Structure formats: structure tokens, C-alpha cells
Amino acid sequence: MTKIAMLGAGFIGQMHALSFMSARMTRDLPVNPELTTLIETSANHALAENVAKRYGWTRTVFDDWEGALAERNHQLFVNAGPNFVHVNPSIVAAQAGAAIFSEKPLASTADEAHRLWKAVEQADVKHMCAFVHRFIPALRLARDMVKAGELGEIWAYRSQMLLDMREPDGRLTWRFIRNQAGGGATGDLGSHHIDVARFIVGEVVEVSGRTMTRLKNPSGDDAAVNDDSFSAIAVLDQGATATFEASRVLAGHALTGRIEIDGTKGTLAFSMERMNELVFTEPNKGPRTIMVTANTHPYGQFSLPVGIQGAHPIGWHDAFTFQAYHMLSAIEHGTSLDPDAATFRDGYRVAETVDAILRSAASRQVENVRFRN
Ligand SMILES: NC(=O)c1ccc[n+]([C@@H]2O[C@H](COP(=O)([O-])OP(=O)(O)OC[C@H]3O[C@@H](n4cnc5c(N)ncnc54)[C@H](O)[C@@H]3O)[C@@H](O)[C@H]2O)c1
């Protein structure tokens, strides 16, 4: 049994609650999560009450997150709050002995992410950062193909994450404000694809970045608004070049997520809108679409037997379910979190990379990404 406490009942908190419930349906080793305590530290009590009722949280705690997390009643703390509450509640929960599952970016700055990683390591609890792309079967297969040498030597990685996250009324929520979210498009969106580059190809060692901010702050304080678009070129530790681009203000994009990996033997291409497919192009063969839905593919037999009815496509929720299962299995069966999942070490390293891109955009210089132990 894993008793869970979670901070945040917003978009992603609801996705996690849904996914913990779905993870129970696995055909793998069984897991037994209990949605014990939902914590809300904003004034939005009505939302938390509604979510607690819909998902079956046993109790809802308002404001006193410290008391709830210090009581040693939970085996897992899920931090699904805004970036600026990622650090202190997670440290308190870790010191009370709970495993920690935190949303990305791990913190608003690399300094804060490093403080969190070190504190949780010192508490000697399991930790996982929610870079959910690692649980999309097509990207897991891409990682396996690259590691098996099927693409040859990797020379280039490129990615784009393009959205329109503007509120219809022009309001700016916490994620648009630098001292609450940290980086904007860089930290919120770029962090995902930076982690995918690290997961499949290699660590980022050098970056050159540019950012743009077009949104205006209704309060008049435009300087408080973080970047709403960025592009960066980078070098990875095994010598490949990488490009990252993301924007949250593009009217023509709902959720464009493109990743391409070029090796000396071929190219892999992934698109979030066709998340069951991986397109493999080899010289003189043209593109070949691999439907990543077979029972031999990652998570191909997770909850339903793949048999006479064929292999059905999956969705974003499934990736969250696989991620939730990975965390629960580590707690209940002692399975390893890494290298398949991102730990807080990965979360910290991505935060360091985001900071380097922002430094480069400000200085207009190439920046090295330096990692602390
Ligand atoms: N892994 C992913 O793909 C993914 C997707 C979306 C969001 N996220 C991450 O999840 C986290 C939450 O994002 P979200 O989209 O759910 O945001 P959201 O604004 O929808 O929800 C945030 C929740 O935190 C609560 N909260 C608690 N303390 C608060 C405070 N002091 N001020 C304001 N709100 C407070 C809010 O009431 C709300 O319930 C962020 O770190 C974000 O980067 C990750």
C-alpha cells in the first residue's frame, strides 16, 4: 500500500490522480496506491474540494502543508503545485521519509533545484522528476534503437515544442511570471525536450540561446514576464549538435511536439500529435513508420492483453499511467527508478541547462553548462 499526499489540484494534479488510479490496473506486478491527502495552499478551496470528491481523496488539507507532510503518514509525496512551491514542501516530505515525485521543472532556478536534489538525497528517499516523455513508448523505443546502434553514430538532435498558452482574457497566471515560474518557454516547455535529448543522445555541455517576450503584463510590469519563446543551439557530450525551439504564444499551434534524431545510418522522427508512431528513414529506403503498439514494444502489454483484437493506439494519459506505475513499483517492489525515469539529479541538470540558455540569451555569448555535484 502506498499512501499518497499531493500538493496541487490543478491541471497536472488531476492527471496524476487519474494516473495513480489507472496504474492499479496493470498486468505487471500489482501496486496499491491510496489517494490519502490532497493539499491546497492557494485560496482555490472550491477546486480542491471538487477534485477530492471526484477522485476520492480521503481528506483535503488547506494551507497547513507543513503539518500534513511532517506527520509521517505517507509513503509518497507528489508535488503538482506551481514551480515556486516545488522546493520546500518536497524537502519537508522527504525528511518525513516519503518518496518524492515532483513536477518539472524541478525548481524555478538551478540553484533551487540543486538545493532540493541535495536535501532529498540526504534524506535518503526515492525521487523522481516528472519528465513524462520518457514514458511515451515511441520515445522509449527511440532510446532503445539509438542505444542498440541502429542509427549509427548520432550527429544531430532537433526539437520543437510549440503551443498557444495565452489566456483568452489576457490574464497572466503564475507560469508567465519570472519570480514564480523561473524560465517561461525555456523552463516550462524546453525542459521536456532538453531531458529527451539527454535521455536518448547525451548531456548538454554548451549552449547559445535567444529568447523573445511579446506578452504584456496587465499590471504594467512587463519586466516581470518571463520568456514566451526561445531557440537554442547546443553541443552534447558525445559530440552531436542539438537545436531546441519552443514557444507558448503561437496562434497556429495547439500542441506541436517534434523530435528528430540523425545518425550515420538513418533518422528517427517523432511527432506528439501522432504519438504512437516513430518514423525511421534509412538511406535509399525512404521513410518507414513503426507503429509502436505491438506487444513487444515498451508497455505493449501493460494493462490489456494484446491478442486477436490487434494493437490499439494509446494516449497521453497512458504515458502518465506508466510513469505513475514506475514510481509506485519503486516504492512497493524496490524496482529501480533510473535510468528509465528522470531522478532529481536529472531535474537539476535540466535546470542548469535552462539557466545556461537564459544566461546566453542575456549575454549573447556561448555558455558552458557547468554541473555541480
Ligand atoms: N509533465 C507535464 O507534462 C506537465 C504539464 C503541465 C504542467 N506541468 C507542471 O505541473 C505543475 C503545475 O502545473 P499546472 O498546469 O497543474 O498548474 P495549475 O495552475 O493548473 O495548477 C496548480 C495547482 O497548484 C495549486 N496551488 C497550490 N499552491 C499555490 C499557490 N501558492 N499559488 C497558486 N497555486 C497554488 C493551485 O490551486 C492549483 O491547484 C507545474 O510545475 C508545471 O510545470 C507538467
Side-chain angles (χ1 to χ4, degrees), residues 46-369:
L47 172 70
E49 274 161 1
N50 172 287
V51 168
K53 202 164 156 194
R54 280 172 46 222
Y55 290 90
W57 288 90
T58 309
R59 65 169 180 161
T60 313
V61 170
F62 296 106
D63 303 325
D64 184 19
W65 57 267
E66 207 157 356
L69 294 176
E71 64 192 16
R72 296 186 171 267
N73 187 35
H74 310 100
Q75 286 76 50
L76 175 63
F77 173 57
V78 180
N79 197 323
N83 303 353
F84 61 91
V85 298
H86 282 186
V87 179
N88 291 339
S90 293
I91 292 176
V92 168
Q95 288 171 345
I100 313 295
F101 175 31
S102 174
E103 262 309 335
K104 46 52 64 180
L106 188 56
S108 313
T109 63
D111 285 348
E112 285 287 275
H114 187 258
R115 181 164 78 85
L116 173 55
W117 169 42
K118 289 284 117 178
V120 167
E121 283 269 289
Q122 196 170 9
D124 197 22
V125 296
K126 293 176 188 286
H127 45 87
M128 180 166 148
C129 185
F131 283 121
V132 69
H133 284 65
R134 291 180 179 226
F135 292 91
I136 295 173
L139 289 175
R140 187 66 70 81
L141 180 65
R143 192 272 314 258
D144 294 346
M145 289 173 71
V146 167
K147 297 287 178 233
E150 290 184 50
L151 273 76
E153 187 182 344
I154 305 303
W155 283 359
Y157 169 98
R158 71 186 69 82
S159 73
Q160 295 177 315
M161 191 182 281
L162 311 172
L163 284 81
D164 188 358
M165 299 170 74
R166 292 171 293 179
E167 298 286 342
D169 59 4
R171 195 167 44 96
L172 296 186
T173 59
W174 62 265
R175 49 175 26 99
F176 297 88
I177 305 301
R178 186 175 298 106
N179 68 10
Q180 296 186 25
T186 45
D188 197 6
L189 309 178
S191 61
H192 273 301
H193 281 177
I194 291 167
D195 186 63
V196 174
R198 302 174 61 256
F199 183 52
I200 298 181
V201 187
E203 189 66 83
V204 183
V205 294
E206 188 184 290
V207 292
S208 177
R210 291 289 182 275
T211 58
M212 185 189 77
T213 305
R214 294 283 167 106
L215 291 178
K216 301 290 173 211
N217 196 340
S219 77
D221 183 8
D222 291 338
V225 183
N226 56 18
D227 54 291
D228 42 42
S229 304
F230 89 99
S231 32
I233 55 175
V235 177
L236 307 184
D237 60 359
Q238 47 65 276
T241 55
T243 60
F244 303 98
E245 181 188 4
S247 178
R248 62 186 184 195
V249 292
L250 300 182
H253 291 270
L255 179 51
T256 301
R258 301 185 185 116
I259 294 170
E260 285 183 2
I261 303 157
D262 298 313
T264 49
K265 293 190 199 167
T267 291
L268 281 179
F270 168 82
S271 167
M272 190 63 144
E273 287 159 327
R274 306 181 73 96
M275 65 179 284
N276 289 270
E277 301 175 13
L278 198 56
V279 180
F280 188 28
T281 307
E282 295 171 277
N284 306 316
K285 285 193 185 165
R288 173 166 68 92
T289 300
I290 305 168
M291 282 301 292
V292 192
T293 51
N295 58 4
T296 50
H297 286 139
Y299 293 103
Q301 307 216 47
F302 182 78
S303 48
L304 296 173
V306 180
I308 195 165
Q309 295 184 46
H312 292 84
I314 59 146
W316 201 60
H317 168 214
D318 298 272
F320 273 81
T321 300
F322 306 151
Q323 177 178 243
Y325 179 80
H326 198 76
M327 184 77 248
L328 292 168
S329 174
I331 294 168
E332 297 190 23
H333 305 300
T335 49
S336 178
L337 284 168
D338 57 3
D340 289 343
T343 64
F344 279 19
R345 176 179 182 271
D346 297 293
Y348 156 68
R349 286 184 161 229
V350 171
E352 200 69 83
T353 307
V354 167
D355 273 18
I357 292 170
L358 293 172
R359 275 201 313 279
S360 167
S363 68
R364 299 188 167 253
Q365 304 288 322
V366 175
E367 294 280 342
N368 292 321
V369 187

